[in-house]
Amino acid sequence: MNGGDYGFYVWTAYGVSFAGLAAAIVLTVLGRMRAAKALEKLK
Amino acid sequence: MLRYANPTRFLQLSSALVPWLGAASAALFAIGLYLGFRVPPDYQQGETVRVMFIHVPAAWTAMMGYGLMAAASLVGLVWRHPLADTAARAAAPLGALFTALGLVTGSLWGRPMWGAWWVWDGRLTSFLLLEFLYLGYIALWNAIEDETRAARVCAILALVGAVNLPIIEFSVDWWTTLHQGESILRKGGPLISSVYLWPLFTMALAYTFLFFTLWLLRIETEILRRRARNALLAEGP
């Protein structure tokens, strides 16, 4: 699907959504890994 | 339920749930996207109907997130349980993100369909207020150094702000809005074709599962951070 006349709006909406969700996943997983490492070091 | 209010037990349960929730979310995203791009364009909205499959789930998840944050705040306020405060705090940034995605995707749908990026109608304005409530909650947490006090003050803000949830929901009934009235979860059944309902509900489930995956991970992170801080304090200067 190329979105026809509305392609810009459709693809931008999907792009923004997936960029936002991907950023949230990466930041959350990295934060969890860092917290586990920090605690491990202290032990 | 109270059994899992213990952080160690919570971590065990959460570690077991997260991979399944994450995998289910990924699978539902794949199915939802496949279905969403296979449906024919709507006779009125054309291709922009596909924006609904990400806009509506983002908005629903944002409201669900606030409901969970307010419920956890109430538990924290009444029973003074730190895990409830942690759960409320962990939900706020996720809720802010889903609200922002709902606002941006709604705007990207509104421009070609309404001819405007934004209008100050009841639904859009109350939904924008939801974003400010999330951001205010996060700012307030960061502004107060004493975590116990921060949790109490923020819990009150979360509970007061919960009044906005029914306002968002019923805004389209109470006021004349450019935003369309309730067309999915309504008495008498949905107004939209089942062709569009399947991708919409699949994506809504994918967003919900993703929210729970990230929420549990954020609660786990906060528990580990607190343990590290306590271990540092126990070591002394």
Side-chain angles (χ1 to χ4, degrees), chain A residues 1 3 6 9-11 13-14 16-17 20-21 24 28 31-32 35 39 42, chain B residues 33 37 47-48 50 54 97-98 105 108 111-112 217-218 220-221 224 227-228:
Chain A
M1 114 73 230
Y6 302 131
Y9 301 102
V10 176
W11 289 118
Y14 274 83
V16 169
S17 293
L21 296 178
T28 304
R32 170 70 174 79
L39 185 62
L42 286 168
Chain B
L33 286 172
F37 281 96
E47 298 286 358
T48 61
R50 298 180 212 285
I54 48 173
L97 170 72
F98 282 98
T105 52
L108 282 160
R111 181 67 184 93
L217 279 171
R218 288 185 56 82
E220 284 182 19
T221 306
L224 296 177
R227 283 185 177 177

PDB file of all heavy atoms in Angstrom, chain A residues 1 3 6 9-11 13-14 16-17 20-21 24 28 31-32 35 39 42, chain B residues 33 37 47-48 50 54 97-98 105 108 111-112 217-218 220-221 224 227-228:
ATOM      1  N   MET A   1       0.846  -1.190   0.000  1.00  0.00           N
ATOM      2  CA  MET A   1       0.000   0.000   0.000  1.00  0.00           C
ATOM      3  C   MET A   1       0.876   1.232   0.000  1.00  0.00           C
ATOM      4  O   MET A   1       1.850   1.302   0.734  1.00  0.00           O
ATOM      5  CB  MET A   1      -0.952  -0.151   1.140  1.00  0.00           C
ATOM      6  CG  MET A   1      -1.090   0.623   2.400  1.00  0.00           C
ATOM      7  SD  MET A   1      -1.735   2.199   2.499  1.00  0.00           S
ATOM      8  CE  MET A   1      -0.462   2.995   3.436  1.00  0.00           C
ATOM      9  N   GLY A   3      -0.529   4.325   0.212  1.00  0.00           N
ATOM     10  CA  GLY A   3      -1.250   5.356   0.964  1.00  0.00           C
ATOM     11  C   GLY A   3      -1.931   6.384   0.086  1.00  0.00           C
ATOM     12  O   GLY A   3      -2.651   7.248   0.589  1.00  0.00           O
ATOM     13  N   TYR A   6      -2.843  10.159   0.820  1.00  0.00           N
ATOM     14  CA  TYR A   6      -2.637  10.310   2.271  1.00  0.00           C
ATOM     15  C   TYR A   6      -1.419   9.543   2.784  1.00  0.00           C
ATOM     16  O   TYR A   6      -1.249   9.396   3.988  1.00  0.00           O
ATOM     17  CB  TYR A   6      -3.887   9.838   3.021  1.00  0.00           C
ATOM     18  CG  TYR A   6      -5.151  10.568   2.639  1.00  0.00           C
ATOM     19  CD1 TYR A   6      -6.308   9.866   2.318  1.00  0.00           C
ATOM     20  CD2 TYR A   6      -5.189  11.956   2.606  1.00  0.00           C
ATOM     21  CE1 TYR A   6      -7.473  10.536   1.973  1.00  0.00           C
ATOM     22  CE2 TYR A   6      -6.350  12.639   2.259  1.00  0.00           C
ATOM     23  CZ  TYR A   6      -7.487  11.915   1.937  1.00  0.00           C
ATOM     24  OH  TYR A   6      -8.634  12.582   1.611  1.00  0.00           O
ATOM     25  N   TYR A   9       0.669  10.996   5.688  1.00  0.00           N
ATOM     26  CA  TYR A   9       0.071  10.966   7.035  1.00  0.00           C
ATOM     27  C   TYR A   9       0.117   9.554   7.623  1.00  0.00           C
ATOM     28  O   TYR A   9       0.415   9.370   8.799  1.00  0.00           O
ATOM     29  CB  TYR A   9      -1.368  11.483   6.989  1.00  0.00           C
ATOM     30  CG  TYR A   9      -1.457  12.892   6.461  1.00  0.00           C
ATOM     31  CD1 TYR A   9      -1.862  13.142   5.153  1.00  0.00           C
ATOM     32  CD2 TYR A   9      -1.099  13.973   7.259  1.00  0.00           C
ATOM     33  CE1 TYR A   9      -1.921  14.432   4.662  1.00  0.00           C
ATOM     34  CE2 TYR A   9      -1.152  15.263   6.775  1.00  0.00           C
ATOM     35  CZ  TYR A   9      -1.569  15.492   5.465  1.00  0.00           C
ATOM     36  OH  TYR A   9      -1.610  16.771   4.988  1.00  0.00           O
ATOM     37  N   VAL A  10      -0.210   8.577   6.783  1.00  0.00           N
ATOM     38  CA  VAL A  10      -0.258   7.185   7.269  1.00  0.00           C
ATOM     39  C   VAL A  10       1.141   6.716   7.666  1.00  0.00           C
ATOM     40  O   VAL A  10       1.357   6.230   8.788  1.00  0.00           O
ATOM     41  CB  VAL A  10      -0.855   6.241   6.193  1.00  0.00           C
ATOM     42  CG1 VAL A  10      -0.812   4.784   6.655  1.00  0.00           C
ATOM     43  CG2 VAL A  10      -2.283   6.647   5.873  1.00  0.00           C
ATOM     44  N   TRP A  11       2.115   6.919   6.788  1.00  0.00           N
ATOM     45  CA  TRP A  11       3.469   6.412   7.067  1.00  0.00           C
ATOM     46  C   TRP A  11       4.127   7.183   8.212  1.00  0.00           C
ATOM     47  O   TRP A  11       4.884   6.601   8.994  1.00  0.00           O
ATOM     48  CB  TRP A  11       4.334   6.440   5.811  1.00  0.00           C
ATOM     49  CG  TRP A  11       3.891   5.401   4.820  1.00  0.00           C
ATOM     50  CD1 TRP A  11       3.420   5.615   3.571  1.00  0.00           C
ATOM     51  CD2 TRP A  11       3.846   3.976   5.018  1.00  0.00           C
ATOM     52  NE1 TRP A  11       3.070   4.423   2.974  1.00  0.00           N
ATOM     53  CE2 TRP A  11       3.328   3.397   3.839  1.00  0.00           C
ATOM     54  CE3 TRP A  11       4.182   3.131   6.079  1.00  0.00           C
ATOM     55  CZ2 TRP A  11       3.144   2.024   3.696  1.00  0.00           C
ATOM     56  CZ3 TRP A  11       4.000   1.763   5.936  1.00  0.00           C
ATOM     57  CH2 TRP A  11       3.490   1.229   4.746  1.00  0.00           C
ATOM     58  N   ALA A  13       2.544   8.501  10.761  1.00  0.00           N
ATOM     59  CA  ALA A  13       1.905   8.017  11.991  1.00  0.00           C
ATOM     60  C   ALA A  13       2.527   6.681  12.425  1.00  0.00           C
ATOM     61  O   ALA A  13       2.862   6.493  13.597  1.00  0.00           O
ATOM     62  CB  ALA A  13       0.403   7.853  11.781  1.00  0.00           C
ATOM     63  N   TYR A  14       2.706   5.766  11.463  1.00  0.00           N
ATOM     64  CA  TYR A  14       3.312   4.470  11.797  1.00  0.00           C
ATOM     65  C   TYR A  14       4.783   4.635  12.206  1.00  0.00           C
ATOM     66  O   TYR A  14       5.259   3.995  13.144  1.00  0.00           O
ATOM     67  CB  TYR A  14       3.179   3.484  10.631  1.00  0.00           C
ATOM     68  CG  TYR A  14       1.846   2.753  10.662  1.00  0.00           C
ATOM     69  CD1 TYR A  14       0.697   3.332  10.141  1.00  0.00           C
ATOM     70  CD2 TYR A  14       1.742   1.501  11.257  1.00  0.00           C
ATOM     71  CE1 TYR A  14      -0.527   2.695  10.200  1.00  0.00           C
ATOM     72  CE2 TYR A  14       0.515   0.845  11.318  1.00  0.00           C
ATOM     73  CZ  TYR A  14      -0.616   1.444  10.789  1.00  0.00           C
ATOM     74  OH  TYR A  14      -1.828   0.800  10.865  1.00  0.00           O
ATOM     75  N   VAL A  16       6.320   7.328  13.534  1.00  0.00           N
ATOM     76  CA  VAL A  16       6.427   7.958  14.855  1.00  0.00           C
ATOM     77  C   VAL A  16       6.079   6.939  15.939  1.00  0.00           C
ATOM     78  O   VAL A  16       6.776   6.823  16.958  1.00  0.00           O
ATOM     79  CB  VAL A  16       5.498   9.197  14.945  1.00  0.00           C
ATOM     80  CG1 VAL A  16       5.390   9.694  16.375  1.00  0.00           C
ATOM     81  CG2 VAL A  16       6.000  10.311  14.041  1.00  0.00           C
ATOM     82  N   SER A  17       5.007   6.169  15.715  1.00  0.00           N
ATOM     83  CA  SER A  17       4.566   5.199  16.720  1.00  0.00           C
ATOM     84  C   SER A  17       5.640   4.147  16.966  1.00  0.00           C
ATOM     85  O   SER A  17       5.995   3.863  18.113  1.00  0.00           O
ATOM     86  CB  SER A  17       3.284   4.495  16.280  1.00  0.00           C
ATOM     87  OG  SER A  17       2.245   5.426  16.265  1.00  0.00           O
ATOM     88  N   GLY A  20       8.740   5.560  18.700  1.00  0.00           N
ATOM     89  CA  GLY A  20       8.462   5.801  20.126  1.00  0.00           C
ATOM     90  C   GLY A  20       8.442   4.504  20.914  1.00  0.00           C
ATOM     91  O   GLY A  20       9.064   4.408  21.976  1.00  0.00           O
ATOM     92  N   LEU A  21       7.769   3.490  20.376  1.00  0.00           N
ATOM     93  CA  LEU A  21       7.681   2.208  21.091  1.00  0.00           C
ATOM     94  C   LEU A  21       9.046   1.512  21.143  1.00  0.00           C
ATOM     95  O   LEU A  21       9.424   0.961  22.177  1.00  0.00           O
ATOM     96  CB  LEU A  21       6.645   1.294  20.425  1.00  0.00           C
ATOM     97  CG  LEU A  21       5.190   1.798  20.469  1.00  0.00           C
ATOM     98  CD1 LEU A  21       4.266   0.828  19.746  1.00  0.00           C
ATOM     99  CD2 LEU A  21       4.716   1.987  21.903  1.00  0.00           C
ATOM    100  N   ALA A  24      11.153   3.165  23.755  1.00  0.00           N
ATOM    101  CA  ALA A  24      10.703   2.773  25.100  1.00  0.00           C
ATOM    102  C   ALA A  24      11.218   1.372  25.450  1.00  0.00           C
ATOM    103  O   ALA A  24      11.682   1.139  26.567  1.00  0.00           O
ATOM    104  CB  ALA A  24       9.180   2.803  25.172  1.00  0.00           C
ATOM    105  N   THR A  28      13.954   0.833  28.415  1.00  0.00           N
ATOM    106  CA  THR A  28      13.498   0.028  29.557  1.00  0.00           C
ATOM    107  C   THR A  28      14.411  -1.179  29.781  1.00  0.00           C
ATOM    108  O   THR A  28      14.819  -1.446  30.915  1.00  0.00           O
ATOM    109  CB  THR A  28      12.041  -0.443  29.321  1.00  0.00           C
ATOM    110  OG1 THR A  28      11.231   0.707  29.095  1.00  0.00           O
ATOM    111  CG2 THR A  28      11.497  -1.205  30.515  1.00  0.00           C
ATOM    112  N   GLY A  31      17.813  -0.013  31.064  1.00  0.00           N
ATOM    113  CA  GLY A  31      17.693   0.409  32.465  1.00  0.00           C
ATOM    114  C   GLY A  31      17.663  -0.784  33.397  1.00  0.00           C
ATOM    115  O   GLY A  31      18.318  -0.802  34.431  1.00  0.00           O
ATOM    116  N   ARG A  32      16.931  -1.818  33.009  1.00  0.00           N
ATOM    117  CA  ARG A  32      16.818  -3.049  33.809  1.00  0.00           C
ATOM    118  C   ARG A  32      18.173  -3.752  33.906  1.00  0.00           C
ATOM    119  O   ARG A  32      18.579  -4.206  34.972  1.00  0.00           O
ATOM    120  CB  ARG A  32      15.773  -3.962  33.154  1.00  0.00           C
ATOM    121  CG  ARG A  32      15.668  -5.376  33.677  1.00  0.00           C
ATOM    122  CD  ARG A  32      15.081  -5.412  35.061  1.00  0.00           C
ATOM    123  NE  ARG A  32      14.850  -6.772  35.534  1.00  0.00           N
ATOM    124  CZ  ARG A  32      15.788  -7.581  36.009  1.00  0.00           C
ATOM    125  NH1 ARG A  32      17.039  -7.171  36.085  1.00  0.00           N
ATOM    126  NH2 ARG A  32      15.477  -8.800  36.434  1.00  0.00           N
ATOM    127  N   ALA A  35      20.572  -1.690  36.167  1.00  0.00           N
ATOM    128  CA  ALA A  35      20.224  -1.829  37.590  1.00  0.00           C
ATOM    129  C   ALA A  35      20.692  -3.183  38.130  1.00  0.00           C
ATOM    130  O   ALA A  35      21.223  -3.266  39.241  1.00  0.00           O
ATOM    131  CB  ALA A  35      18.718  -1.679  37.767  1.00  0.00           C
ATOM    132  N   LEU A  39      23.674  -3.687  41.061  1.00  0.00           N
ATOM    133  CA  LEU A  39      23.422  -4.463  42.277  1.00  0.00           C
ATOM    134  C   LEU A  39      24.415  -5.614  42.387  1.00  0.00           C
ATOM    135  O   LEU A  39      24.933  -5.908  43.472  1.00  0.00           O
ATOM    136  CB  LEU A  39      21.980  -4.986  42.270  1.00  0.00           C
ATOM    137  CG  LEU A  39      21.528  -5.710  43.527  1.00  0.00           C
ATOM    138  CD1 LEU A  39      21.553  -4.796  44.741  1.00  0.00           C
ATOM    139  CD2 LEU A  39      20.109  -6.263  43.355  1.00  0.00           C
ATOM    140  N   LEU A  42      27.775  -4.490  43.714  1.00  0.00           N
ATOM    141  CA  LEU A  42      27.769  -4.216  45.157  1.00  0.00           C
ATOM    142  C   LEU A  42      27.820  -5.505  45.981  1.00  0.00           C
ATOM    143  O   LEU A  42      28.307  -5.509  47.106  1.00  0.00           O
ATOM    144  CB  LEU A  42      26.529  -3.410  45.537  1.00  0.00           C
ATOM    145  CG  LEU A  42      26.577  -1.942  45.119  1.00  0.00           C
ATOM    146  CD1 LEU A  42      25.208  -1.308  45.258  1.00  0.00           C
ATOM    147  CD2 LEU A  42      27.591  -1.183  45.966  1.00  0.00           C
TER     148      LEU A  42
ATOM    149  N   LEU B  33      -0.449  -5.907  12.272  1.00  0.00           N
ATOM    150  CA  LEU B  33       0.070  -5.131  11.126  1.00  0.00           C
ATOM    151  C   LEU B  33      -0.308  -5.806   9.817  1.00  0.00           C
ATOM    152  O   LEU B  33      -0.692  -5.142   8.848  1.00  0.00           O
ATOM    153  CB  LEU B  33       1.595  -4.982  11.231  1.00  0.00           C
ATOM    154  CG  LEU B  33       2.073  -3.993  12.283  1.00  0.00           C
ATOM    155  CD1 LEU B  33       3.586  -4.071  12.446  1.00  0.00           C
ATOM    156  CD2 LEU B  33       1.660  -2.571  11.927  1.00  0.00           C
ATOM    157  N   PHE B  37      -2.822  -3.886   7.172  1.00  0.00           N
ATOM    158  CA  PHE B  37      -2.427  -3.437   5.829  1.00  0.00           C
ATOM    159  C   PHE B  37      -3.082  -4.265   4.721  1.00  0.00           C
ATOM    160  O   PHE B  37      -2.884  -4.005   3.548  1.00  0.00           O
ATOM    161  CB  PHE B  37      -0.890  -3.439   5.696  1.00  0.00           C
ATOM    162  CG  PHE B  37      -0.284  -2.222   6.340  1.00  0.00           C
ATOM    163  CD1 PHE B  37       0.203  -2.263   7.633  1.00  0.00           C
ATOM    164  CD2 PHE B  37      -0.254  -1.014   5.657  1.00  0.00           C
ATOM    165  CE1 PHE B  37       0.731  -1.138   8.242  1.00  0.00           C
ATOM    166  CE2 PHE B  37       0.270   0.122   6.255  1.00  0.00           C
ATOM    167  CZ  PHE B  37       0.765   0.070   7.550  1.00  0.00           C
ATOM    168  N   GLU B  47      -7.207   5.566   2.786  1.00  0.00           N
ATOM    169  CA  GLU B  47      -6.096   4.850   3.438  1.00  0.00           C
ATOM    170  C   GLU B  47      -5.883   5.296   4.880  1.00  0.00           C
ATOM    171  O   GLU B  47      -5.258   4.578   5.664  1.00  0.00           O
ATOM    172  CB  GLU B  47      -4.802   5.074   2.640  1.00  0.00           C
ATOM    173  CG  GLU B  47      -4.841   4.546   1.212  1.00  0.00           C
ATOM    174  CD  GLU B  47      -4.755   3.029   1.131  1.00  0.00           C
ATOM    175  OE1 GLU B  47      -4.621   2.386   2.180  1.00  0.00           O
ATOM    176  OE2 GLU B  47      -4.836   2.501  -0.001  1.00  0.00           O
ATOM    177  N   THR B  48      -6.377   6.489   5.227  1.00  0.00           N
ATOM    178  CA  THR B  48      -6.121   6.986   6.593  1.00  0.00           C
ATOM    179  C   THR B  48      -6.809   6.129   7.661  1.00  0.00           C
ATOM    180  O   THR B  48      -6.506   6.279   8.840  1.00  0.00           O
ATOM    181  CB  THR B  48      -6.563   8.446   6.782  1.00  0.00           C
ATOM    182  OG1 THR B  48      -7.952   8.529   6.554  1.00  0.00           O
ATOM    183  CG2 THR B  48      -5.805   9.397   5.897  1.00  0.00           C
ATOM    184  N   ARG B  50      -6.159   3.287   8.273  1.00  0.00           N
ATOM    185  CA  ARG B  50      -5.082   2.485   8.883  1.00  0.00           C
ATOM    186  C   ARG B  50      -4.454   3.189  10.078  1.00  0.00           C
ATOM    187  O   ARG B  50      -3.862   2.529  10.935  1.00  0.00           O
ATOM    188  CB  ARG B  50      -4.013   2.150   7.832  1.00  0.00           C
ATOM    189  CG  ARG B  50      -4.565   1.310   6.705  1.00  0.00           C
ATOM    190  CD  ARG B  50      -3.520   0.973   5.669  1.00  0.00           C
ATOM    191  NE  ARG B  50      -4.138   0.869   4.349  1.00  0.00           N
ATOM    192  CZ  ARG B  50      -4.871  -0.154   3.949  1.00  0.00           C
ATOM    193  NH1 ARG B  50      -5.057  -1.159   4.748  1.00  0.00           N
ATOM    194  NH2 ARG B  50      -5.410  -0.170   2.743  1.00  0.00           N
ATOM    195  N   ILE B  54      -3.469   2.255  15.015  1.00  0.00           N
ATOM    196  CA  ILE B  54      -2.422   2.590  15.991  1.00  0.00           C
ATOM    197  C   ILE B  54      -2.878   3.723  16.909  1.00  0.00           C
ATOM    198  O   ILE B  54      -2.428   3.811  18.048  1.00  0.00           O
ATOM    199  CB  ILE B  54      -1.069   2.935  15.314  1.00  0.00           C
ATOM    200  CG1 ILE B  54      -1.266   3.934  14.172  1.00  0.00           C
ATOM    201  CG2 ILE B  54      -0.378   1.682  14.847  1.00  0.00           C
ATOM    202  CD1 ILE B  54       0.048   4.434  13.596  1.00  0.00           C
ATOM    203  N   LEU B  97       4.091   8.346  27.284  1.00  0.00           N
ATOM    204  CA  LEU B  97       4.473   7.986  25.914  1.00  0.00           C
ATOM    205  C   LEU B  97       3.245   7.592  25.093  1.00  0.00           C
ATOM    206  O   LEU B  97       3.047   8.091  23.977  1.00  0.00           O
ATOM    207  CB  LEU B  97       5.484   6.827  25.920  1.00  0.00           C
ATOM    208  CG  LEU B  97       5.753   6.211  24.543  1.00  0.00           C
ATOM    209  CD1 LEU B  97       6.580   7.162  23.680  1.00  0.00           C
ATOM    210  CD2 LEU B  97       6.455   4.868  24.668  1.00  0.00           C
ATOM    211  N   PHE B  98       2.405   6.722  25.637  1.00  0.00           N
ATOM    212  CA  PHE B  98       1.220   6.264  24.886  1.00  0.00           C
ATOM    213  C   PHE B  98       0.258   7.429  24.626  1.00  0.00           C
ATOM    214  O   PHE B  98      -0.366   7.486  23.572  1.00  0.00           O
ATOM    215  CB  PHE B  98       0.529   5.109  25.619  1.00  0.00           C
ATOM    216  CG  PHE B  98       1.236   3.800  25.444  1.00  0.00           C
ATOM    217  CD1 PHE B  98       2.107   3.325  26.413  1.00  0.00           C
ATOM    218  CD2 PHE B  98       1.075   3.043  24.292  1.00  0.00           C
ATOM    219  CE1 PHE B  98       2.787   2.120  26.252  1.00  0.00           C
ATOM    220  CE2 PHE B  98       1.749   1.833  24.114  1.00  0.00           C
ATOM    221  CZ  PHE B  98       2.612   1.372  25.099  1.00  0.00           C
ATOM    222  N   THR B 105      -0.660  10.680  16.517  1.00  0.00           N
ATOM    223  CA  THR B 105      -1.328   9.915  15.453  1.00  0.00           C
ATOM    224  C   THR B 105      -2.738  10.472  15.189  1.00  0.00           C
ATOM    225  O   THR B 105      -3.186  10.489  14.044  1.00  0.00           O
ATOM    226  CB  THR B 105      -1.412   8.412  15.802  1.00  0.00           C
ATOM    227  OG1 THR B 105      -1.984   8.272  17.107  1.00  0.00           O
ATOM    228  CG2 THR B 105      -0.059   7.754  15.783  1.00  0.00           C
ATOM    229  N   LEU B 108      -2.245  13.416  13.010  1.00  0.00           N
ATOM    230  CA  LEU B 108      -1.906  13.009  11.642  1.00  0.00           C
ATOM    231  C   LEU B 108      -3.118  12.437  10.896  1.00  0.00           C
ATOM    232  O   LEU B 108      -3.155  12.412   9.678  1.00  0.00           O
ATOM    233  CB  LEU B 108      -0.768  11.979  11.668  1.00  0.00           C
ATOM    234  CG  LEU B 108       0.616  12.588  11.903  1.00  0.00           C
ATOM    235  CD1 LEU B 108       1.600  11.528  12.398  1.00  0.00           C
ATOM    236  CD2 LEU B 108       1.150  13.238  10.633  1.00  0.00           C
ATOM    237  N   ARG B 111      -5.596  15.938  10.266  1.00  0.00           N
ATOM    238  CA  ARG B 111      -5.226  16.918   9.222  1.00  0.00           C
ATOM    239  C   ARG B 111      -5.873  16.594   7.873  1.00  0.00           C
ATOM    240  O   ARG B 111      -6.534  17.449   7.289  1.00  0.00           O
ATOM    241  CB  ARG B 111      -3.693  16.986   9.111  1.00  0.00           C
ATOM    242  CG  ARG B 111      -3.201  17.993   8.086  1.00  0.00           C
ATOM    243  CD  ARG B 111      -3.516  19.406   8.509  1.00  0.00           C
ATOM    244  NE  ARG B 111      -3.153  20.395   7.513  1.00  0.00           N
ATOM    245  CZ  ARG B 111      -3.979  20.861   6.584  1.00  0.00           C
ATOM    246  NH1 ARG B 111      -5.205  20.396   6.500  1.00  0.00           N
ATOM    247  NH2 ARG B 111      -3.589  21.774   5.728  1.00  0.00           N
ATOM    248  N   PRO B 112      -5.732  15.355   7.350  1.00  0.00           N
ATOM    249  CA  PRO B 112      -6.387  15.081   6.065  1.00  0.00           C
ATOM    250  C   PRO B 112      -7.908  14.918   6.161  1.00  0.00           C
ATOM    251  O   PRO B 112      -8.625  15.207   5.206  1.00  0.00           O
ATOM    252  CB  PRO B 112      -5.742  13.765   5.597  1.00  0.00           C
ATOM    253  CG  PRO B 112      -5.193  13.139   6.819  1.00  0.00           C
ATOM    254  CD  PRO B 112      -4.858  14.240   7.764  1.00  0.00           C
ATOM    255  N   LEU B 217       8.901  -4.584  33.741  1.00  0.00           N
ATOM    256  CA  LEU B 217      10.347  -4.377  33.676  1.00  0.00           C
ATOM    257  C   LEU B 217      10.758  -3.127  34.447  1.00  0.00           C
ATOM    258  O   LEU B 217      11.776  -3.100  35.123  1.00  0.00           O
ATOM    259  CB  LEU B 217      10.802  -4.269  32.214  1.00  0.00           C
ATOM    260  CG  LEU B 217      10.978  -5.589  31.464  1.00  0.00           C
ATOM    261  CD1 LEU B 217      11.220  -5.330  29.983  1.00  0.00           C
ATOM    262  CD2 LEU B 217      12.151  -6.389  32.040  1.00  0.00           C
ATOM    263  N   ARG B 218       9.958  -2.079  34.347  1.00  0.00           N
ATOM    264  CA  ARG B 218      10.273  -0.822  35.042  1.00  0.00           C
ATOM    265  C   ARG B 218      10.123  -0.991  36.560  1.00  0.00           C
ATOM    266  O   ARG B 218      10.883  -0.425  37.326  1.00  0.00           O
ATOM    267  CB  ARG B 218       9.376   0.319  34.543  1.00  0.00           C
ATOM    268  CG  ARG B 218       9.745   0.790  33.130  1.00  0.00           C
ATOM    269  CD  ARG B 218       8.922   1.988  32.724  1.00  0.00           C
ATOM    270  NE  ARG B 218       9.069   3.070  33.678  1.00  0.00           N
ATOM    271  CZ  ARG B 218      10.076   3.937  33.697  1.00  0.00           C
ATOM    272  NH1 ARG B 218      11.013   3.860  32.783  1.00  0.00           N
ATOM    273  NH2 ARG B 218      10.123   4.887  34.595  1.00  0.00           N
ATOM    274  N   GLU B 220      10.592  -3.856  38.136  1.00  0.00           N
ATOM    275  CA  GLU B 220      11.774  -4.658  38.490  1.00  0.00           C
ATOM    276  C   GLU B 220      12.999  -3.756  38.633  1.00  0.00           C
ATOM    277  O   GLU B 220      13.762  -3.868  39.608  1.00  0.00           O
ATOM    278  CB  GLU B 220      12.066  -5.690  37.389  1.00  0.00           C
ATOM    279  CG  GLU B 220      11.157  -6.881  37.379  1.00  0.00           C
ATOM    280  CD  GLU B 220      11.554  -7.868  36.289  1.00  0.00           C
ATOM    281  OE1 GLU B 220      12.703  -7.824  35.800  1.00  0.00           O
ATOM    282  OE2 GLU B 220      10.698  -8.684  35.903  1.00  0.00           O
ATOM    283  N   THR B 221      13.182  -2.859  37.672  1.00  0.00           N
ATOM    284  CA  THR B 221      14.338  -1.944  37.687  1.00  0.00           C
ATOM    285  C   THR B 221      14.351  -1.117  38.964  1.00  0.00           C
ATOM    286  O   THR B 221      15.386  -0.952  39.610  1.00  0.00           O
ATOM    287  CB  THR B 221      14.282  -1.008  36.452  1.00  0.00           C
ATOM    288  OG1 THR B 221      14.187  -1.813  35.290  1.00  0.00           O
ATOM    289  CG2 THR B 221      15.504  -0.114  36.358  1.00  0.00           C
ATOM    290  N   LEU B 224      15.372  -3.202  41.985  1.00  0.00           N
ATOM    291  CA  LEU B 224      16.822  -3.451  41.989  1.00  0.00           C
ATOM    292  C   LEU B 224      17.596  -2.198  42.377  1.00  0.00           C
ATOM    293  O   LEU B 224      18.573  -2.266  43.121  1.00  0.00           O
ATOM    294  CB  LEU B 224      17.267  -3.957  40.611  1.00  0.00           C
ATOM    295  CG  LEU B 224      16.690  -5.305  40.178  1.00  0.00           C
ATOM    296  CD1 LEU B 224      17.147  -5.660  38.775  1.00  0.00           C
ATOM    297  CD2 LEU B 224      17.091  -6.409  41.146  1.00  0.00           C
ATOM    298  N   ARG B 227      17.395  -1.720  46.071  1.00  0.00           N
ATOM    299  CA  ARG B 227      18.258  -2.688  46.758  1.00  0.00           C
ATOM    300  C   ARG B 227      19.711  -2.226  46.694  1.00  0.00           C
ATOM    301  O   ARG B 227      20.447  -2.346  47.676  1.00  0.00           O
ATOM    302  CB  ARG B 227      18.122  -4.070  46.112  1.00  0.00           C
ATOM    303  CG  ARG B 227      16.856  -4.746  46.534  1.00  0.00           C
ATOM    304  CD  ARG B 227      16.771  -6.155  46.011  1.00  0.00           C
ATOM    305  NE  ARG B 227      15.567  -6.797  46.486  1.00  0.00           N
ATOM    306  CZ  ARG B 227      15.202  -8.008  46.146  1.00  0.00           C
ATOM    307  NH1 ARG B 227      15.928  -8.712  45.321  1.00  0.00           N
ATOM    308  NH2 ARG B 227      14.089  -8.530  46.626  1.00  0.00           N
ATOM    309  N   ALA B 228      20.107  -1.713  45.518  1.00  0.00           N
ATOM    310  CA  ALA B 228      21.490  -1.236  45.362  1.00  0.00           C
ATOM    311  C   ALA B 228      21.737  -0.041  46.291  1.00  0.00           C
ATOM    312  O   ALA B 228      22.785   0.044  46.935  1.00  0.00           O
ATOM    313  CB  ALA B 228      21.731  -0.843  43.906  1.00  0.00           C
TER     314      ALA B 228
END
